[in-house]
Structure formats: C-alpha cells, structure tokens
Amino acid sequence: MSLTGEVLTTAPALPPAGPAVRSLLRAGDILSSARDDGPPVVIDRDPAREAARRELSKGMYHENDPSPLERALNAFWDWLDKLFGAASTAAPGGAIGLVVIVVAVIAVLAALWWRLGTPRRQPAFSAALFDDRPRSAADHRAAAEAHAAQGHWNQALQERMRAIVRALEERALLDTRPGRTADEAAAEAGRTLPAHTDRLRAAAREFDDVTYGGRRATEQSYHRIAELDQDLERSRPHLANSTSTTHNSRQGAAG
C-alpha cells in the first residue's frame, strides 16, 4: 500500500507468470549455469553422427516412407523413363519417330502371327509307327472307335493312323516292314495312291504332332483321318502295268 497525499491506494497485482515465461526463465537459468560452470561442451563428429543415426532410425521418422513394392515400381518407371529417353534421342524424329517404329514392329509381328498361326513345336524325331504287338487293321479300327467313344482323341487318332497303314500292308500296297514311320508310310502310299498324297501327308503330320510334338488331337482331326481311312478302302491303286496288278494281290493280314 502507498500513501499519495491523503488518499490511501492499493498497488495493482501482477498477473501470474504463464508457461512460456516459466520456460524462458528455466532456459535462462540453464544458460547462466553453463556460463558459470565453464566453456560449452563440444561433441566430436563421429559420436554426433552416430547419435543422429540413432535418432533418425526411430519409427516416427519413417511412418510415411514408401513400401518395398512402391520403391521397386518407382525404380522400374525411372529405368523405363531413362530407356525411353535414350531411345527417343537415338531414333530419327525423336519420341514420335520411336512411337512410329514400335507401332510398325507390333504390326509386323501381328501380321506374321495371323499368317503363320501359333508356332508349332516340331517333333524331335519320328519313332516307329507300330509297337511290338502285331495287330490287324480291324483291331486298330476297333481300338480307335473305343477311344473315340470315351473322348480320348489322341489315342483314337493314333490308332486310326495305324489302321490306315496296316490296311495298306494287308492290301499289299505297302510292304510289311517293321520300324516304318508315319511319314515314310505316307510317302510310299502316295506313290501308289497319288489322289490321296496330300491327305496322307497331312495325316502323318498330325500323327507326329500328337505322338511326339505334344499337341492335342480334336474330334475334327480324328474324323478327318477316319474319313481318309474309309476313302482309301474304296480307292483303287495306280499301277504302272498289268504285271504290277497281278503282283499286288492280297498277301494276307500282317500281324
């Protein structure tokens, strides 16, 4: 309290110190004590680097880092961008020229695919047409029909092709020769039955593709060979002279 003249007044009270003020006071105390104690502490470079590494390795600093997949995608797109940039620089006409070249290459590949179809794996070899069990043409036909009834088109086609060759041997249009391949049988039979040369070669090729090339036969491919078998049964051989006609009489069923 103070006395001014004859009026007694009360001095206004100071507001309490806020948090900010208290923080500044504490900081001042710390700085004062540091000045009183001596020179400031200096940390060497290596310990400082290690302390910074430990601090930055905390999870709070990596919450928004990209995932491994995102980093891989970003690296791929960066590589693709660099590749495209280098190619567009080398290509005549820049980026537009590169696009024209890529479109032209794709068009050529599509045309070749449409023209040639799906690449077919050629058989590495042609094994014997028959196994060691001699059977008649009728036996092979019966086996083919049994497989066809069950939808086993690979086996049905193979047995029908064997029936064709065995029937030609039974008619003495082919000599009975163990180890004959389908291609050899088609080529030899085509000389005696020239009207069916192309169909015989196509049948032999289908047999090889299914047996050794890993392709799957279809119902349509089986029926094509079955129709060829029936047509060959009704065909008369092309003989060079009458002597050949006498020679080409039946010699019995081949086992």
Side-chain angles (χ1 to χ4, degrees):
M1 301 178 64
S2 64
L3 182 63
T4 304
E6 296 180 356
V7 179
L8 185 64
T9 61
T10 303
L14 294 174
V21 175
R22 289 196 295 270
S23 299
L24 290 175
L25 292 175
R26 285 196 299 270
D29 293 341
I30 294 172
L31 291 176
S32 297
S33 63
R35 285 194 298 267
D36 294 340
D37 294 341
V41 178
V42 179
I43 303 177
D44 293 338
R45 179 179 301 176
D46 292 339
R49 184 185 298 111
E50 181 63 22
R53 186 190 64 78
R54 287 197 302 268
E55 178 66 21
L56 293 176
S57 64
K58 295 180 179 179
M60 60 183 294
Y61 297 106
H62 303 281
E63 294 177 352
N64 298 321
D65 288 355
S67 65
L69 178 60
E70 291 174 338
R71 290 197 296 268
L73 288 176
N74 291 336
F76 171 75
W77 289 120
D78 290 342
W79 172 80
L80 193 63
D81 182 66
K82 293 179 182 178
L83 180 64
F84 184 81
S88 61
T89 302
I96 298 177
L98 178 62
V99 171
V100 172
I101 293 174
V102 171
V103 172
V105 171
I106 293 175
V108 170
L109 292 176
L112 289 174
W113 188 278
W114 178 82
R115 179 67 180 84
L116 301 177
T118 304
R120 298 172 60 179
R121 185 176 62 179
Q122 297 296 331
F125 60 91
S126 293
L129 184 64
F130 298 100
D131 53 25
D132 295 332
R133 298 173 298 169
R135 289 181 292 173
S136 66
D139 293 336
H140 287 294
R141 290 191 185 104
E145 291 298 325
H147 286 303
Q150 298 179 11
H152 300 161
W153 302 115
N154 280 18
Q155 296 88 337
L157 185 146
Q158 292 168 330
E159 290 296 330
R160 199 72 188 213
M161 184 63 191
R162 293 184 179 111
I164 289 175
V165 177
R166 186 66 77 199
L168 294 175
E169 291 177 352
E170 292 173 356
R171 294 172 61 187
L173 300 180
L174 290 177
D175 60 312
T176 303
R177 177 160 52 88
R180 175 186 279 118
T181 66
D183 292 330
E184 293 171 346
E188 295 171 12
R191 290 192 289 269
T192 307
L193 301 166
H196 302 285
T197 300
D198 293 338
R199 296 173 67 190
L200 284 165
R201 289 176 178 172
R205 187 163 52 249
E206 286 187 303
F207 177 88
D208 287 341
D209 288 342
V210 168
T211 306
Y212 315 114
R215 294 180 63 86
R216 295 188 62 83
T218 63
E219 183 177 0
Q220 292 75 17
S221 61
Y222 169 72
H223 286 305
R224 281 197 300 269
I225 293 186
E227 292 174 1
L228 174 61
D229 185 20
Q230 295 171 0
D231 293 342
L232 291 174
E233 283 291 297
R234 297 189 294 266
S235 298
R236 298 184 61 182
H238 176 75
L239 302 177
N241 49 51
S242 57
T243 304
S244 299
T245 303
T246 304
H247 176 72
N248 285 329
S249 58
R250 287 186 177 273
Q251 297 182 359

